[in-house]
Amino acid sequence: MVSGAPKPPPAAPLPGAVGLSHIGAYDWEAADGACGGSPHVHLACTEAYVVTAGRGAVQTLTPEGYRETDLAPGSLVWFTPGTVHRMVQRDGLRVTVLMENGGLPEAGDAVLTFPPSVLADPGKYAAAAALPAGEGPEAEEAARRRRDLAVEGYLELRAALLEGDARPLLEFHRAAARLVAPRVSGWERLWRTGALAAAERTGARLAALAAGDAAHLAGARVEAAVPARRGGYGMCGRREEYELPGAAPPHREG
């Protein structure tokens, strides 16, 4: 430590308390012939894809209809809560994912598009979404089964939208909201200590600067991290995850 410098503050979170991971999209073929991940939705968080390699697409369902957005190196696409999304692999697709409210998806803000009979039963949903520990053949087979069940429900939602009927998607939204309702109080605590706290820190800095107070700048520091877990089976593909200051432990369904 430099002589006369103050004691370093606690480790700083990523800017804005966002979540960060890297994904190599699955190349497993699904029932409709497309290769890729498990369609799902976030209920509280906006998500962004920054494409770093390869080619593919993201298929999305909203009340406005079905859309497929091509992905290539340099592409940036983001989607708001309620957007059902499915990452499609075409040729070595690699994506860096930025997630609003880092910690919330890891705490369960991600609902797979399982058929209605599964979504209606929290026990059935939990069993269908769970993966065994480890990364061996058993885990891969479970991830494939989970993906295929999500695609089954997704294709029904997509078919209805293509016929101009948004009602099944809106009912899926309602079922997803009922499913996660017991978790929301925990999400609020994560938001208050994460994204909200980050915004409040900025407000305090602006107030200090307006008063000519530069004391907080003496706490300047540099942080660095490397992926703490590589190759886990996520919803969209194989994941590289970070353990970041202030973030919740990675949720293995992501």
Side-chain angles (χ1 to χ4, degrees), residues 176-241:
R178 290 192 295 268
L179 196 61
V180 305
R183 302 181 181 183
V184 172
S185 61
W187 295 0
E188 185 174 0
R189 288 192 295 271
L190 288 169
W191 164 70
R192 288 189 180 281
T193 59
L196 180 59
E200 290 174 338
R201 285 193 297 271
T202 299
R205 292 167 188 160
L206 294 176
L209 291 171
D213 180 0
H216 65 282
L217 301 180
R221 62 183 300 152
V222 177
E223 305 283 358
V226 296
R229 181 172 183 263
R230 298 178 184 269
Y233 290 100
M235 289 185 177
C236 296
R238 303 300 297 270
R239 287 171 58 99
E240 294 180 4
E241 302 166 343

Side-chain angles (χ1 to χ4, degrees), residues 106 229 239 241-243 248-253:
E106 292 78 6
R229 181 172 183 263
R239 287 171 58 99
E241 302 166 343
Y242 294 83
E243 294 180 3
H251 186 62
R252 301 312 183 195
E253 291 178 11

Side-chain angles (χ1 to χ4, degrees), residues 84-102:
V84 172
H85 48 286
R86 178 197 194 190
M87 189 182 293
V88 175
Q89 176 68 269
R90 290 179 180 154
D91 182 16
L93 180 65
R94 291 275 301 169
V95 171
T96 292
V97 176
L98 303 176
M99 183 66 70
E100 185 181 27
N101 303 311

Side-chain angles (χ1 to χ4, degrees), residues 99-218:
M99 183 66 70
E100 185 181 27
N101 303 311
L104 264 66
E106 292 78 6
D109 178 23
V111 175
L112 292 146
T113 54
F114 292 153
S117 61
V118 179
L119 291 167
D121 185 323
K124 285 184 179 179
Y125 180 89
L131 298 181
E135 298 173 8
E138 183 182 359
E140 179 175 334
E141 180 59 30
R144 285 175 178 261
R145 287 197 304 269
R146 183 176 72 173
R147 191 283 306 270
D148 291 344
L149 188 62
V151 169
E152 179 183 335
Y154 164 82
L155 292 177
E156 293 177 1
L157 298 176
R158 187 174 74 178
L161 279 176
L162 290 173
E163 292 293 327
D165 185 2
R167 288 174 297 179
L169 176 62
L170 296 176
E171 179 51 42
F172 167 73
H173 285 167
R174 289 189 286 269
R178 290 192 295 268
L179 196 61
V180 305
R183 302 181 181 183
V184 172
S185 61
W187 295 0
E188 185 174 0
R189 288 192 295 271
L190 288 169
W191 164 70
R192 288 189 180 281
T193 59
L196 180 59
E200 290 174 338
R201 285 193 297 271
T202 299
R205 292 167 188 160
L206 294 176
L209 291 171
D213 180 0
H216 65 282
L217 301 180

